[in-house]
Amino acid sequence: MGSHTAKTTNRRDHYLPQGYLRGFIDPARKKQPKPLWCLDLQTNRWRERSPKEIGYIDGFYDFATESTTAEDPDLTFKHLENNFPRIRAQIIQDGFASWVQHKEFLLAYMQMLRARSPLFFEQWNAHAQTMKVTRVRKVLHDPVKGTGVQHDGFRAMTKAEIQDWIIGQMRVEIKKGADWLSNFHWALRYTDSPNDPVITADSPFVSIGRSADEGTALTDPETLIYFPICWQAFLFGSIQRFDVETERFHPETLQQVRRAYRENERKFLVSPQKLDNF
C-alpha cells in the first residue's frame, strides 16, 4: 500500500460545524442517512440533508500563500468545536438550568460562528478593497527631519493578500472569546417538541431590531441578538436585563423567531422537521 497524505487544501470547509448541525436532528430521525430538513430559500423547497452536505465551501479557509507561518484555522477552531457538543449535551441533560455556568463558552462559540461565516468574509473583503499597502525599504533617522520611511509606494492589495488578511482577521476575532457579547444580558428559551422547534440558518448569529445601522443597533434597547444552540434551545441577548433568565418558549414567540430567520437569511434554514406556514 502506498503512503497516504491528508488533503490540506480545497477541502470541504464547514462554516457551520457538523457538530453544531447535529444538534438540530430530531431524535426520531438520528439513524436516517439524511436526518436534517433543509429549506432552500432560493427555491423555497425542503430537502433532506446530512450535516456534511450543508454549510460548507470548498477551500474556504485555505491560505493563498503557501509559505505562510500563520496558525492553521483548524487549530483556531479546535477547542470550541471539540467542546461544544459535550457542553450542549450537559445543558440539555440538566434541563437547561446549567447554561449560565457555560455562558462565556457559548458566547465565544457564537463569536466563532460569526467570524468564520461567509458574511464576515464578505464584509472584510469589502473593507480590504479600500485599503492600500506598501513594502518598507528602509527606516530613516534624521536628526533634523526626524524619522522617515523609504517604501515602494502604495498599491491595492492582491486577491491572495486579501484572502490571507481576512483569515487573519477571522482568527483575531475568534481569539477574543466572548468579547463585546459579554456586555449584553442573556436569557435562554427552550421547547420540548421537534415538531415545534428552534431552527438555525446559514448565518445563525442574527440581530433584529428597529435600527438598520449596525453601530447603533447594538446599543438600542429594542435590538435582540438571537443564537440557536440546538432544536430545543435559543439564546437571546439585549442591553436590557431579562425578567426571567430561563423558561419555556411561548408558542407565538417561537413562531416569531422562525419567521425572523426566514426573512433575514439568504441561503437556507435547518430544522429537525419539515415546517409549513411560517
Side-chain angles (χ1 to χ4, degrees), residues 238-252:
S238 172
I239 62 170
Q240 296 192 102
R241 191 175 296 277
F242 293 94
D243 294 331
V244 182
E245 277 192 336
T246 310
E247 68 176 348
R248 192 183 311 277
F249 264 114
H250 296 297
E252 64 275 13

Side-chain angles (χ1 to χ4, degrees), residues 133-188:
V133 295
T134 189
R135 182 168 62 170
V136 174
R137 290 290 186 181
K138 187 177 181 181
V139 178
L140 306 173
H141 297 283
D142 188 296
V144 178
K145 296 181 180 179
T147 301
V149 174
Q150 278 187 354
H151 58 77
D152 290 346
F154 290 93
R155 61 172 177 78
M157 296 172 73
T158 66
K159 186 176 180 180
E161 287 170 337
I162 290 173
Q163 170 71 6
D164 291 355
W165 180 74
I166 294 174
I167 291 175
Q169 296 302 313
M170 174 191 74
R171 291 180 53 252
V172 167
E173 286 296 301
I174 293 172
K175 288 181 177 293
K176 290 178 182 177
D179 195 38
W180 58 275
L181 292 174
S182 297
N183 298 329
F184 284 71
H185 298 290
W186 294 92
L188 181 140

Side-chain angles (χ1 to χ4, degrees), residues 1-128:
M1 292 177 64
S3 62
H4 174 72
T5 303
K7 187 177 183 182
T8 57
T9 60
N10 209 34
R11 299 173 304 174
R12 184 176 284 191
D13 285 334
H14 281 265
Y15 56 86
L16 285 183
Q18 294 181 68
Y20 172 74
L21 289 170
R22 290 188 189 103
F24 295 87
I25 295 174
D26 182 345
R29 290 175 52 84
K30 65 181 180 181
K31 292 185 179 180
Q32 302 255 2
K34 298 176 184 286
L36 292 169
W37 281 99
C38 183
L39 177 63
D40 185 324
L41 294 175
Q42 301 299 314
T43 63
N44 201 37
R45 290 183 61 186
W46 287 97
R47 291 184 171 86
E48 293 172 288
R49 291 286 185 261
S50 69
K52 69 180 180 181
E53 290 180 302
I54 53 179
Y56 73 90
I57 298 172
D58 289 337
F60 192 46
Y61 304 122
D62 286 354
F63 286 107
T65 307
E66 291 184 8
S67 60
T68 181
T69 57
E71 179 182 274
D72 188 278
D74 284 351
L75 295 177
T76 310
F77 304 151
K78 186 175 181 180
H79 168 73
L80 293 165
E81 276 200 17
N82 287 355
N83 286 287
F84 181 76
R86 176 183 59 80
I87 289 174
R88 178 181 59 202
Q90 184 66 54
I91 292 170
I92 294 170
Q93 183 179 326
D94 295 341
F96 304 104
S98 67
W99 76 269
V100 178
Q101 300 168 29
H102 302 289
K103 181 172 70 173
E104 288 300 303
F105 176 87
L106 294 172
L107 298 183
Y109 191 86
M110 189 190 311
Q111 278 278 57
M112 177 186 72
L113 291 194
R114 180 185 71 85
R116 68 192 285 180
S117 70
L119 180 59
F120 180 90
F121 274 59
E122 288 172 18
Q123 291 171 339
W124 282 96
N125 184 66
H127 180 54

